[in-house]
């Protein structure tokens, strides 16, 4: 039987996941299809039953269901448990639904594909929401030893630092002043996700040249944060790679092989220009 996959979310029309996965299926000669499904929060439980009943081999989960879907799954990968969120569901051979989170690892794969492994560098993560949490745990798992977290609400940064067991939590002001100590700076707040216009209230005055600066937002590709960092001589990493790599890791969970991420980056960049 032909395999099929989906992405569920609300809204869902803007998602680039169907384009990406269908292009990979085609490139790799895999007889499968991937469709977007608009699921409202009040219908999540029924939607999960329906996907199971109708034989989906797996699906991605996006806003606002990443946390809410957990009770409806049979098993959760330890990393997704730590993150408290699932973005990928796999139907196992015995028909069980297993949840994974590939966002954080997707970020690290993207960073390392773009600029290589710099695991000894000191990292400043800005933001302490769901996205930032995933990235923090993934950085730790991949061996980044020094990760500090700055956030408008410092207590939320502190909570993640405590779970990580090392690092420092900072206010945005404190982080601005110490910016020259960091080799990698990651913008992981939700600002700019909805409108590319909004600017993070964060000064890059003390940014050193050659610092690696990454953003998790990919639409627009060049966020105000990255534009400013580039002007100051930073090496920049756009958020598009995180999106492509979270998808590639999900693809690997479903089909046991990795798709071509570099080629996909080019294809998506054409669309986002
Ligand atoms: P996500 O799951 O996408 O990370 P989230 O959980 O809503 O989204 O987290 C949003 C992040 O963006 C938080 O770090 C938030 O800071 P607070 O924890 O202080 O709320 C940050 N953020 C959102 N709007 C912001 C703003 N105007 N200035 C600074 N930080 C902002």
């Amino acid at each position: 039987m032909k395999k099929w996959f989906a992405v569920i979310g609300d809204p869902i029309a803007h998602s680039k996941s169907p384009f990406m996965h269908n292009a990979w299926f085609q490139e790799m000669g895999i007889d499968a299809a991937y469709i977007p499904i608009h699921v409202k929060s009040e219908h999540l439980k029924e939607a999960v039953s329906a996907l199971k009943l109708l034989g989906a081999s797996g699906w991605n989960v996006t806003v606002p269901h990443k946390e809410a879907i957990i009770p409806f799954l049979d098993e959760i990968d330890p990393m997704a448990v730590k993150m408290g969120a699932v973005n990928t569901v796999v139907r196992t051979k015995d028909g069980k639904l297993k949840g994974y989170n590939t966002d954080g690892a997707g970020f690290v794969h993207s960073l390392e594909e773009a600029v290589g492994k710099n695991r000894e560098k000191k990292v400043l993560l800005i933001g302490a929401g769901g996205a930032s949490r995933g990235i923090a745990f993934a950085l730790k798992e991949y061996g980044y030893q020094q990760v500090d977290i700055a956030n408008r609400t410092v207590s939320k940064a502190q909570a993640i630092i405590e779970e990580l067991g090392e690092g420092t939590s900072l206010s945005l002001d404190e982080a601005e002043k110490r910016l020259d100590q960091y080799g990698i700076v990651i913008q992981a707040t939700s600002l700019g996700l909805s409108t590319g216009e909004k600017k993070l209230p964060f000064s890059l005055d003390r940014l050193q040249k050659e610092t690696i600066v990454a953003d998790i937002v990919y639409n627009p590709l060049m966020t105000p944060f990255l534009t400013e960092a580039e002007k100051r001589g930073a090496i920049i990493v756009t958020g598009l790679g995180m999106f492509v790599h979270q998808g590639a890791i999900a693809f690997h969970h479903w089909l046991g092989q990795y798709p071509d991420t570099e080629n996909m980056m080019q294809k998506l960049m054409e669309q986002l220009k």
Side-chain angles (χ1 to χ4, degrees):
M1 196 185 74
K2 187 183 178 95
K3 287 190 172 170
W4 71 278
F5 301 85
V7 55
I8 60 170
D10 178 23
I12 201 60
H14 66 284
S15 173
K16 298 263 176 232
S17 290
F19 169 83
M20 179 166 73
H21 285 280
N22 286 316
W24 278 333
F25 295 152
Q26 204 173 7
E27 261 169 38
M28 298 166 76
I30 294 169
D31 186 21
Y34 185 111
I35 54 168
I37 305 179
H38 184 205
V39 175
K40 294 203 161 166
S41 288
E42 62 266 36
H43 299 138
L44 181 60
K45 188 175 182 185
E46 287 118 303
V48 171
S49 305
L51 284 159
K52 197 171 175 180
L53 183 75
L54 297 174
S57 298
W59 60 91
N60 285 126
V61 183
T62 185
V63 179
H65 307 314
K66 290 186 185 188
E67 291 162 25
I69 197 167
I70 291 177
F72 308 133
L73 303 177
D74 301 307
E75 206 183 326
I76 311 290
D77 178 69
M79 192 58 152
V81 170
K82 267 194 202 161
M83 295 181 191
V86 160
N87 79 330
T88 301
V89 176
V90 177
R91 206 226 302 253
T92 62
K93 282 201 188 82
D94 52 0
K96 294 241 162 69
L97 299 180
K98 181 163 183 186
Y100 293 87
N101 194 313
T102 69
D103 287 328
F107 176 83
V108 178
H109 285 205
S110 157
L111 181 73
E112 296 189 345
E113 182 172 271
V115 296
K117 293 190 175 80
N118 292 279
R119 295 175 180 175
E120 73 299 337
K121 283 200 195 314
K122 200 166 169 183
V123 181
L124 175 68
L125 186 54
I126 306 171
S132 185
R133 231 183 130 69
I135 292 170
F137 284 115
L139 284 168
K140 176 155 189 183
E141 177 152 305
Y142 281 84
Y144 289 78
Q145 299 293 334
Q146 308 183 71
V147 180
D148 291 349
I149 305 179
N151 196 41
R152 178 178 58 182
T153 313
V154 184
S155 58
K156 284 170 68 184
Q158 178 58 24
I160 303 176
I161 288 289
E162 273 167 25
E163 279 184 69
L164 287 174
E166 57 202 340
T168 307
S169 56
L170 307 159
S171 68
L172 295 177
D173 276 357
E174 285 167 333
E176 279 175 358
K177 289 187 195 122
R178 296 193 206 166
L179 203 55
D180 50 4
Q181 298 175 5
Y182 296 95
I184 303 178
V185 176
I186 304 162
Q187 193 306 104
T189 73
S190 55
L191 261 189
L193 265 186
S194 43
T195 72
E197 303 305 315
K198 282 201 215 153
K199 244 180 142 171
L200 186 73
F202 190 86
S203 157
L204 292 174
D205 280 350
R206 303 227 169 154
L207 189 76
Q208 297 291 297
K209 279 203 178 110
E210 314 276 306
T211 303
I212 296 163
V213 177
D215 204 313
I216 63 164
V217 174
Y218 67 89
N219 197 3
L221 214 46
M222 280 305 287
T223 61
F225 193 79
L226 290 182
T227 305
E228 179 71 31
E230 191 172 47
K231 274 193 212 143
R232 294 175 186 275
I235 299 163
I236 58 162
V237 180
T238 72
L240 189 60
M242 177 178 180
F243 170 70
V244 171
H245 282 271
Q246 64 73 33
I249 302 168
F251 190 103
H252 182 257
H253 282 307
W254 295 325
L255 295 159
Q257 43 186 327
Y258 271 105
D260 181 338
T261 49
E262 276 174 293
N263 191 14
M264 182 55 62
M265 290 281 288
Q266 295 306 321
K267 283 190 183 168
L268 286 170
M269 250 185 270
E270 288 301 314
Q271 293 198 358
L272 291 167
K273 258 182 198 161

